[in-house]
Amino acid sequence: MPTKRPTIADIARAAGVSTGAVSYALNNRRGVSEATRRRVHEVAASLGWLPHTAARVLSGGPAGAIGLVVDRPARVLGIEPYFMQLISGIQAALAGGPTSLLLQVTDQAEAQLAIYRRWWAERRVDGILLVDLLVDDPRVALVKELGLPAVVLGEPQAELGLSSVWTDDEKAMAFVVDYLAALGHREIARVAGPPEFVHTRRRSAAFRAATAELPDARVITAADYSGDAAARITRRLLTGRGAPTALVFDNDVMAVAALGVARELDLDVPGRLSVVAWDDSALCRLVRPALTAVRRPTAERGAAAVDLLLRSPGDAPTQLKTADPELLVRSSTGPVGGR
């Protein structure tokens, strides 16, 4: 039989005080002595008593949770290490505290908006983290309409009235292109994520600026971050006219898929083709050749966003910059032609 949840009456009996005194003590209200307050808290802890979440929310207390909706197809999310790194940072910031993470996955924009409305109407969250900000993102208008505290994990959005935690992707992209150009690469292709994402557009703009003097460089936009999409695009690029000598991918999964295509086509990496992945992960280190990758402080971003959301939900928007990314050079990149 399930164990009966301890009540205030149980605590009162065990502590030898009235239920009113227990209520005052547990809610840290005046009306009981400090000794009684300590006694009540000790007894409550020994009985395994915890405040009832629904009752706490109805009385105006916090929900004790923050929300995160990931707008990705499940087949993509299941193999993309980025979100596991992000969630590990979020969980590290929440560990040991009274707040938990409420996570939901959907690949429908309208469903995501409905989730936010329901969470806030039911007071299930104290705030949310927004990832993959869209151009003209409808979520921004919604959180303002609802008065739902939110922090963006992405580029500075002060003009939108939201706090954000961001990493300088533009600097990282310029460094990647300069590194490849120094190796003699002129035909560089970028295989990007979905164009509706703000971070995709910013990285693409940075790529164009960095390759302004490399007329054969180009931006290729993938349908999603999946290995299947990357394989199709890589095969088309490498078998067409003017095949690139270097490929820069927007995530590690796509870069790994490109290595497979190069192997199928009997193209040496890095002798014939150099490959760079965005966001370092175990995948980049385990494949052969190991992938040169941009390492961003993803877990740090998650932890910082949680801190920002819980620390100052009603304050003016804050734009918090993380440490800069770094390029980890491994075996998948080298001079053009292996020189």
Side-chain angles (χ1 to χ4, degrees):
M1 294 293 292
T3 303
K4 178 177 174 288
R5 185 178 186 272
T7 66
I8 285 180
D10 296 326
I11 298 171
R13 279 193 297 271
V17 298
S18 68
T19 55
V22 172
S23 178
Y24 282 129
L26 293 178
N27 288 289
N28 293 317
R29 293 164 57 190
R30 287 182 293 181
V32 294
S33 69
E34 191 57 36
T36 298
R37 191 185 312 278
R38 285 198 300 270
R39 171 65 177 156
V40 167
H41 277 278
E42 289 170 359
V43 170
S46 69
L47 293 177
W49 180 89
L50 291 172
H52 193 286
T53 302
R56 183 179 61 200
V57 171
L58 287 173
S59 64
I66 60 172
L68 172 64
V69 178
V70 179
D71 187 7
R72 284 281 203 285
R75 63 183 175 81
V76 175
L77 183 64
I79 59 172
E80 193 170 15
Y82 168 81
F83 279 105
M84 295 303 100
Q85 295 177 22
L86 178 64
I87 291 171
S88 73
I90 293 171
Q91 287 297 137
L94 296 175
T99 305
S100 58
L101 174 65
L102 185 57
L103 173 67
Q104 193 153 342
V105 178
T106 178
D107 58 358
Q108 298 178 356
E110 287 302 319
Q112 186 171 176
L113 297 177
I115 290 168
Y116 294 137
R117 289 186 182 278
R118 185 178 72 253
W119 280 355
W120 193 236
E122 296 174 354
R123 295 297 184 265
R124 298 184 64 187
V125 296
D126 298 309
I128 60 170
L129 302 176
L130 292 176
V131 295
D132 290 337
L133 201 69
L134 304 172
V135 178
D136 299 322
D137 199 317
R139 295 176 296 176
V140 173
L142 178 64
V143 298
K144 289 183 176 180
E145 172 195 330
L146 297 176
L148 173 57
V151 171
V152 176
L153 280 148
E155 290 69 21
Q157 299 296 320
E159 70 277 10
L160 301 179
L162 296 178
S163 294
S164 67
V165 179
W166 66 288
T167 303
D168 195 340
D169 281 354
E170 287 89 346
K171 180 183 289 187
M173 185 62 75
F175 192 81
V176 168
V177 172
D178 288 348
Y179 164 71
L180 292 173
L183 293 174
H185 294 280
R186 297 296 179 266
E187 296 81 19
I188 306 171
R190 165 171 148 76
V191 182
E196 62 268 21
F197 291 153
V198 171
H199 61 71
T200 299
R201 295 198 178 190
R202 293 205 176 192
R203 290 181 200 171
S204 294
F207 180 82
R208 292 188 186 97
T211 58
E213 297 180 4
L214 304 175
D216 292 323
R218 52 195 170 236
V219 176
I220 306 295
T221 302
D224 54 31
Y225 291 110
S226 71
D228 289 343
R232 288 193 298 271
I233 291 171
T234 300
R235 191 171 288 104
R236 185 172 70 244
L237 287 170
L238 297 181
T239 56
R241 296 181 60 184
T245 62
L247 293 172
V248 181
F249 290 89
D250 247 7
N251 77 349
D252 45 1
V253 173
M254 294 197 295
V256 169
L259 290 181
V261 172
R263 191 174 297 113
E264 291 172 11
L265 298 175
D266 199 26
L267 297 177
D268 180 63
V269 176
R272 165 62 182 81
L273 176 71
S274 286
V275 179
V276 178
W278 208 268
D279 284 329
D280 184 40
S281 71
L283 287 178
C284 297
R285 300 186 292 274
L286 292 174
V287 294
R288 291 294 178 269
L291 280 163
T292 293
V294 174
R295 175 184 290 169
R296 298 187 301 162
T298 303
E300 174 194 327
R301 292 174 75 199
V306 169
D307 181 65
L308 194 57
L309 183 62
L310 297 180
R311 174 168 48 88
S312 53
D315 291 355
T318 300
Q319 314 307 316
L320 181 63
K321 183 177 179 291
T322 69
D324 285 337
E326 55 181 323
L327 182 65
L328 302 179
V329 177
R330 299 194 181 100
S331 305
S332 68
T333 52
V336 174
R339 295 192 298 271

